[in-house]
Amino acid sequence: MRVANIFNLGVKELRSLGRDPTMLLLIVYAFTLAIYAAATAMPEALNKAAIAIVDEDRSPLSARIVDAFYPPYFITPSLIDQAEMDARMDSGLDTFALDIPPNFQRDVLAGRIPVIQLNVDATRMTQAFTGSSYIQSIVTGEVTSFARRYRADTELPVDLELRARFNPELNKSWFGSVMEVINNVTLLSIVLTGAALIREREHGTIEHLLVMPVTPFEIMTAKLWAMALVVLTACAFSLIFVVEGFLSVPIEGSIALFLVGALFHLFATTSMGIFLGTIARSMPQFGLLIILILVPLEMLSGGTTPRESMPDTVRYLMLAAPTTHFVMLAQAILYRGAGFSVVWPQFLALALIGSALFSYALARFRSTISTMT
């Protein structure tokens, strides 16, 4: 093995990547616009939901209910008549349509139990579920305070003092942006290394490498360090300028320590990319393989759903995946400010998994090259 060969071959990979506008566009998008979209487009959060109200009572109480819906949870309600309600919902203009019946205030003051009809467009699943609870709470609170003539403070037997650790604002964009960075590190590392190998095969340049005085180890290692360097640089840029800068998401821990952990993770995932590149014979095949591999890795790694909520079989099986340990490491450092004394087990696990994947991918790469000679 010659270090010079590995370095020069890696520079060749960087130059080849620089001449591929599609891959460059993917890298830029994955660490800029994709991060912003994941941080700001959280569908489970109720934000500016469209609501229309049919006020058939025209009383102070109904007006009070109408005024209770305001941004950011709801847009200003559209006051419509009953004939428009179904048509507007069929057209997708409203997610919620509230129908306040005639004599509603009189029935409330008389001690009767009047019924308010709430129509919900359930195709907007997350908003429908969350918004229904919000509307029920708002209407109940306004009716109760109107009937009592004042807003009563409920005296609870126990005072619960909430202290939200690591995300005191309970801002979902803090979680979404960082997790998107973590997921895109995995995605790009696999895509870039696998595509680099397939590109060599499709362009016929792999044969040129075979007649040069370089070993399969040098060829593979060069692809790994070059693509890992690109992903690591893009990741650092995204954390500093997009997450911390543009989105104003506070990073509690050391970005340098996280990048070292990302380097261990990239050792494993770039090896995985080489392995998939030896199996696939074309870029379409490689894309289908990535779907089969990447979706379970991201969904079951603990980034989307806590691992404690998963079946025991899945939890133990995913300990063999590098993404599980990388998510644990990244969340501990970036969210909770953990140091190396806390995350060293994840570093060790990534080193072991990466070594195993590298060895297996190298054996497969050598086998593939030997069949071509």
Side-chain angles (χ1 to χ4, degrees):
M1 182 191 69
R2 292 183 57 191
V3 176
N5 288 343
I6 296 175
F7 175 77
N8 292 327
L9 288 173
V11 172
K12 177 191 75 69
E13 294 295 336
L14 294 176
R15 289 175 177 173
S16 178
L17 178 63
R19 292 191 294 268
D20 191 338
T22 302
M23 285 297 178
L24 292 177
L25 181 62
L26 176 62
I27 295 170
V28 172
Y29 170 78
F31 287 103
T32 54
L33 294 179
I35 305 302
Y36 175 79
T40 57
M42 302 294 286
E44 67 273 14
L46 190 67
N47 184 48
K48 295 183 179 179
I51 183 171
I53 298 179
V54 180
D55 187 0
E56 299 183 81
D57 191 31
R58 303 290 180 177
S59 64
L61 176 56
S62 64
R64 183 171 182 162
I65 293 174
V66 172
D67 293 338
F69 295 95
Y70 47 80
Y73 297 120
F74 299 92
I75 63 173
T76 303
S78 301
L79 295 178
I80 61 175
D81 56 39
Q82 197 170 39
E84 297 179 88
M85 184 171 61
D86 289 340
R88 286 176 60 90
M89 186 158 286
D90 291 343
S91 301
L93 297 177
D94 300 320
T95 305
F96 305 98
L98 192 67
D99 188 355
I100 303 175
N103 305 318
F104 176 70
Q105 177 177 306
R106 186 188 67 185
D107 293 340
V108 169
L109 296 177
R112 304 186 186 97
I113 305 178
V115 176
I116 294 181
Q117 183 186 71
L118 175 63
N119 296 281
V120 183
D121 182 359
T123 58
R124 302 174 181 180
M125 188 61 200
T126 52
Q127 277 202 342
F129 179 78
T130 307
S132 298
S133 301
Y134 275 63
I135 293 174
Q136 183 178 4
S137 176
I138 290 172
V139 172
T140 301
E142 293 300 326
V143 172
T144 301
S145 61
F146 179 84
R148 290 176 177 172
R149 300 293 195 275
Y150 66 94
R151 294 184 181 272
D153 294 328
T154 304
E155 294 291 338
L156 298 178
V158 177
D159 184 17
L160 178 64
E161 184 175 345
L162 176 63
R163 294 183 179 179
R165 299 287 302 276
F166 316 120
N167 187 357
E169 296 182 7
L170 299 178
N171 191 336
K172 294 181 180 179
S173 67
W174 293 13
F175 176 81
S177 58
V178 174
M179 284 309 306
E180 188 68 11
V181 172
I182 294 171
N183 289 337
N184 287 346
V185 166
T186 303
L187 169 66
L188 266 298
S189 59
I190 296 177
V191 169
L192 291 181
T193 48
L197 179 58
I198 294 175
R199 186 169 52 237
E200 296 268 21
R201 186 186 300 120
E202 290 180 342
H203 294 173
T205 54
I206 189 71
E207 286 82 1
H208 298 168
L209 292 176
L210 295 178
V211 298
M212 295 177 64
V214 293
T215 64
F217 179 89
E218 293 170 351
I219 297 174
M220 177 175 161
T221 305
K223 294 183 184 298
L224 263 59
W225 81 255
M227 298 303 108
L229 177 63
V230 172
V231 175
L232 201 65
T233 304
C235 175
F237 173 86
S238 182
L239 280 176
I240 296 173
F241 294 103
V242 179
V243 177
E244 274 195 311
F246 185 72
L247 295 173
S248 300
V249 176
I251 301 297
E252 293 296 330
S254 169
I255 293 181
L257 180 61
F258 166 74
L259 293 177
V260 174
L263 189 60
F264 277 74
H265 177 64
L266 289 168
F267 176 50
T269 52
T270 51
S271 300
M272 190 183 301
I274 292 292
F275 172 72
L276 295 178
T278 60
I279 296 177
R281 296 302 173 186
S282 64
M283 284 302 294
Q285 288 185 3
F286 181 63
L288 292 176
L289 281 175
I290 286 179
I291 295 175
L292 294 176
I293 299 298
L294 193 65
V295 172
L297 285 180
E298 292 188 354
M299 292 184 63
L300 303 177
S301 62
T304 304
T305 304
R307 296 187 67 249
E308 293 77 11
S309 303
M310 301 178 187
D312 290 341
T313 303
V314 176
R315 289 172 53 203
Y316 295 135
L317 181 63
M318 287 303 295
L319 289 176
T323 49
T324 300
H325 304 280
F326 182 53
V327 168
M328 295 168 62
L329 173 151
Q331 289 182 344
I333 295 175
L334 299 179
Y335 291 149
R336 299 185 287 273
F340 182 76
S341 60
V342 175
V343 297
W344 71 264
Q346 284 74 49
F347 274 81
L348 179 60
L350 285 173
L352 295 176
I353 295 172
S355 299
L357 288 173
F358 180 85
S359 300
Y360 189 66
L362 179 59
R364 173 74 188 183
F365 184 58
R366 282 173 172 161
S367 175
T368 303
I369 286 183
S370 64
T371 60
M372 300 176 62
T373 57

